Amino acid sequence: NAGVTQTPKFQVLKTGQSMTLQCAQDMNHNSMYWYRQDPGMGLRLIYYSASEGTTDKGEVPNGYNVSRLNKREFSLRLESAAPSQTSVYFCASSPGQGGADTQYFGPGTRLTVL
Amino acid sequence: GNSVTQMEGPVTLSEEAFLTINCTYTATGYPSLFWYVQYPGEGLQLLLKATKADDKGSNKGFEATYRKETTSFHLEKGSVQVSDSAVYFCALSDRGNQGGKLIFGQGTELSVKP
């Protein structure tokens, strides 16, 4: 039981390049999330998927797109990377039973945009 | 809107010292409250949570009590260890929240010296 896995662990991009961050969970959770973590700002929600087949914007969605490929997988795409997107990205999942759910986090992807 | 405010870090303590990390929140309704911990190089993991007023969450010697009258959820531990060195995040989730979205505080870094 691996929990939440993310690939890659590290990535360096040049401004304007595109890439997709992959996330998968093996806990049969309904809800999945993408956050970014920046110094002094905690974690901010980019996009989330309350259940398979649905996605919604979070606090900071601009410059990102997501795909809930199936119940297990939730990918985050940067179409044209900008230096402001340099951050650590975390994927998380939860059972999807409401506001008291525990979220389970992946190990993160450290992205640098030059 | 909903928000979470934590005490500024970093906090440096000696082993066996008493720890308090303050957390206050602003929310409509009756949110669930969480403390997550992030050890160096890892993703976040749930430390404890409370879902209604006067509930006390506890785990690994850490405690926090949901105080509705002061809108607070301060984290405490009676005797910290070097292994408690990490970043601690307070978070809230609206009770009726579709998809269980979390709003995080900025995080408080704790360093415990032997």
Side-chain angles (χ1 to χ4, degrees):
Chain A
N1 190 337
V4 179
T5 57
Q6 293 183 234
T7 55
K9 284 187 167 37
F10 301 93
Q11 184 70 49
V12 179
L13 294 177
K14 294 180 180 177
T15 297
Q17 288 185 317
S18 62
M19 79 161 295
T20 300
L21 282 64
Q22 306 287 353
C23 174
Q25 52 90 10
D26 62 2
M27 296 173 282
N28 200 36
H29 284 169
N30 289 313
S31 301
M32 298 185 74
Y33 314 83
W34 276 106
Y35 293 92
R36 59 178 289 171
Q37 182 180 26
D38 300 295
M41 301 188 74
L43 275 75
R44 293 180 292 169
L45 183 64
I46 304 171
Y47 270 93
Y48 69 103
S49 172
S51 61
E52 188 179 357
T54 69
T55 61
D56 284 288
K57 295 178 180 179
E59 183 184 354
V60 288
N62 291 345
Y64 305 96
N65 285 300
V66 291
S67 295
R68 183 76 183 265
L69 304 169
N70 48 54
K71 192 171 186 179
R72 289 187 64 247
E73 298 172 286
F74 188 41
S75 63
L76 178 71
R77 183 160 178 83
L78 287 70
E79 291 290 352
S80 178
S84 61
Q85 294 178 304
T86 294
S87 188
V88 181
Y89 291 85
F90 288 100
C91 178
S93 70
S94 71
Q97 295 167 353
D101 269 1
T102 296
Q103 291 190 15
Y104 296 82
F105 285 78
T109 295
R110 186 173 295 274
L111 175 67
T112 301
V113 183
L114 302 175
Chain B
N2 296 345
S3 65
V4 175
T5 302
Q6 291 181 231
M7 68 184 283
E8 295 278 336
V11 174
T12 302
L13 295 174
S14 298
E15 208 164 22
E16 299 184 4
F18 184 85
L19 168 70
T20 300
I21 300 178
N22 290 337
C23 172
T24 57
Y25 67 90
T26 302
T28 54
Y30 303 95
S32 295
L33 300 173
F34 305 80
W35 277 101
Y36 281 81
V37 59
Q38 183 181 31
Y39 297 105
E42 298 183 10
L44 280 70
Q45 57 186 271
L46 179 71
L47 182 59
L48 52 85
K49 69 180 179 182
T51 59
K52 60 183 187 295
D54 300 325
D55 265 3
K56 178 186 282 189
S58 61
N59 186 25
K60 299 181 182 180
F62 290 89
E63 293 182 339
T65 301
Y66 189 163
R67 301 284 189 204
K68 184 167 176 288
E69 63 276 13
T70 54
T71 62
S72 64
F73 193 53
H74 304 322
L75 182 68
E76 296 182 336
K77 186 175 186 183
S79 177
V80 293
Q81 305 301 312
V82 172
S83 57
D84 293 326
S85 298
V87 181
Y88 293 82
F89 292 91
C90 186
L92 70 80
S93 175
D94 282 341
R95 197 172 283 278
N97 193 342
Q98 289 283 331
K101 291 181 291 180
L102 290 175
I103 295 172
F104 286 89
Q106 73 269 35
T108 301
E109 183 179 0
L110 171 66
S111 177
V112 181
K113 306 296 185 188

